[in-house]
Amino acid sequence: MRLLKCPKCGEMFSDTYKTCPFCQEDEELHSGKPVKTGGRRVGGAKARPKVGGGVVVACLVLVLGLVACTIFGSQFTELFTGGKTDTPVRALTLSQRNADLTVGSTVKLTASGGESIVSFSSSNEAVATVSADGTVKAVGEGSAVVTAKAGDLTASCSVAVKGTEQTDVPAKGLTLRSIFQDEGTSLDDFSITPGEEVQMVVDGTDSAVTWKIGDTSVATISADGIVTGVSNDASKVTTITATVDGQTLTCNVRGGGTN
């Protein structure tokens, strides 16, 4: 047995083969036919393996999948979650939900949570008004609702207004007397004859006095406090009333005659 050199591929092969087994092997590999020869290369370059088509397809699928996730990621999320996504809940709140005020008093409401400019309004401006900065002023007795609005968000505060609180003012030391008595002396009862006149005064004030008398058949009284006797019957008694500075003073008057 001797070795022959193939003039085509340059490989050495045994003379027991009619043709170069290496060339035949290459032809069968390229044609996809089963390799029947059992030749062995003695030297020369080896054939390069082919890259499988499946690997290329897998890479393409992977790349396309990444692109699709980037573009349609949110839609895929909605598809697999039933269209529900966690959205932060926005809310507008006020510093107070209720306010009890008296006429003339104020309170400032502060809004938080809105992403736009907040505007304020009152449901009853005869009771409470509100300025652009949220200052509520009580102007009349009753109730009102102050509403803050920022975009599509709203918040409200219920306002109840009562009348101005009254403070206890010490009563003045007033006295009712006639001009025939010393100043500061209080007169509780006196008799008067028909036609007689007695000037009544109130000490301790410069305010105007409102005068009234109960039974004008006993005596009368003028707007400036002059009492005039009418009856002679001493059994008849009536009452003079003097009202001034929120106080009421009284004095009894009797007829001046005999029974």
Side-chain angles (χ1 to χ4, degrees):
M1 182 187 70
R2 61 191 182 91
L3 295 176
L4 302 176
K5 183 177 182 179
C6 177
K8 184 177 181 180
C9 66
E11 296 284 354
M12 302 298 291
F13 62 93
S14 173
D15 60 358
T16 57
Y17 292 97
K18 294 181 179 181
T19 60
C20 176
F22 300 109
C23 290
Q24 185 178 357
E25 182 180 352
D26 288 340
E27 290 176 0
E28 291 176 351
L29 286 173
H30 289 295
S31 64
K33 296 180 180 181
V35 179
K36 297 180 180 180
T37 60
R40 183 183 302 272
R41 291 182 185 270
V42 176
K46 296 182 179 180
R48 292 179 297 174
K50 290 185 176 181
V51 178
V55 176
V56 176
V57 173
C59 290
L60 288 175
V61 171
L62 179 60
V63 171
L64 291 175
L66 292 174
V67 172
C69 287
T70 302
I71 299 175
F72 305 106
S74 60
Q75 297 182 16
F76 288 155
T77 301
E78 293 182 2
L79 177 63
F80 290 109
T81 61
K84 296 181 180 180
T85 57
D86 293 333
T87 302
V89 178
R90 297 183 301 149
L92 182 68
T93 58
L94 287 175
S95 53
Q96 290 184 223
R97 297 183 62 183
N98 298 280
D100 295 323
L101 304 175
T102 55
V103 174
S105 62
T106 62
V107 65
K108 186 171 183 179
L109 300 178
T110 303
S112 59
E115 297 180 357
S116 58
I117 298 175
V118 179
S119 61
F120 293 90
S121 62
S122 172
S123 65
N124 190 349
E125 293 192 343
V127 173
T129 60
V130 60
S131 62
D133 66 352
T135 300
V136 180
K137 182 176 181 179
V139 295
E141 293 187 53
S143 60
V145 176
V146 173
T147 301
K149 185 175 182 181
D152 58 350
L153 303 177
T154 59
S156 61
C157 174
S158 298
V159 180
V161 180
K162 296 181 180 180
T164 305
E165 294 183 2
Q166 298 292 331
T167 57
D168 294 332
V169 179
K172 293 182 179 180
L174 304 181
T175 56
L176 175 62
R177 65 179 178 87
S178 72
I179 59 173
F180 302 112
Q181 294 174 285
D182 294 333
E183 184 175 349
T185 303
S186 178
L187 179 62
D188 298 321
D189 186 287
F190 70 96
S191 297
I192 189 170
T193 59
E196 181 183 0
E197 293 183 347
V198 177
Q199 174 70 60
M200 304 297 292
V201 294
V202 175
D203 294 328
T205 182
D206 294 326
S207 302
V209 180
T210 300
W211 299 95
K212 291 183 180 180
I213 194 165
D215 187 354
T216 56
S217 67
V218 177
T220 61
I221 191 167
S222 65
D224 55 0
I226 298 176
V227 180
T228 302
V230 175
S231 176
N232 286 321
D233 190 349
S235 64
K236 287 187 175 182
V237 181
T238 189
T239 302
I240 296 172
T241 301
T243 303
V244 60
D245 294 340
Q247 298 185 54
T248 300
L249 307 174
T250 61
C251 177
N252 292 330
V253 180
R254 301 176 183 276
T258 59
N259 292 333

